[in-house]
């Protein structure tokens, strides 16, 4: 007979919630995070989506712009776009 202890291994830990609820991660710039947030709000407004209600307020439903907050990803994406446009 095995009883659950209520403690899980750190490798099994995962975050449940919106990407917008996560704290700023390594490589993310605050100004890029703000721009990504406003882009997500604009996308939700264009698509007529209502914001998600979370514990501290409302956040956009569109979560993929959060990856644009990473300055390395944004810079490499911009470089690839410029190479494709002007090569």
């Amino acid at each position: 007979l095995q009883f659950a202890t209520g403690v899980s291994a750190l490798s099994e830990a995962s975050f449940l919630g919106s990407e917008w609820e996560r704290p700023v991660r390594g490589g993310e710039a605050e100004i890029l995070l703000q721009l990504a947030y406003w882009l997500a709000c604009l996308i939700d407004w264009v698509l007529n989506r209502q914001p998600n209600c979370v514990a501290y307020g409302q956040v956009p439903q569109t979560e993929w712009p959060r990856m644009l907050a990473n300055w390395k990803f944004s810079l490499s994406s911009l470089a690839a776009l410029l190479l494709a446009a002007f090569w």
Side-chain angles (χ1 to χ4, degrees), residues 42-53:
L42 178 67
I43 291 169
D44 283 355
W45 178 74
V46 167
L47 296 176
N48 200 21
R49 293 182 180 168
Q50 298 300 316
N52 285 337
C53 292

Side-chain angles (χ1 to χ4, degrees), residues 64-78:
W64 66 264
R66 172 78 192 243
M67 69 182 170
L68 298 174
N70 186 308
W71 69 270
K72 297 170 195 169
F73 179 78
S74 294
L75 191 62
S76 60
S77 297
L78 181 63

Side-chain angles (χ1 to χ4, degrees), residues 23-60:
V24 176
R25 293 175 263 190
E28 288 184 341
E30 185 70 34
I31 187 69
L32 293 176
L33 186 60
Q34 286 292 322
L35 291 172
Y37 179 83
W38 288 107
L39 175 63
C41 288
L42 178 67
I43 291 169
D44 283 355
W45 178 74
V46 167
L47 296 176
N48 200 21
R49 293 182 180 168
Q50 298 300 316
N52 285 337
C53 292
V54 294
Y56 64 88
Q58 296 180 335
V59 295

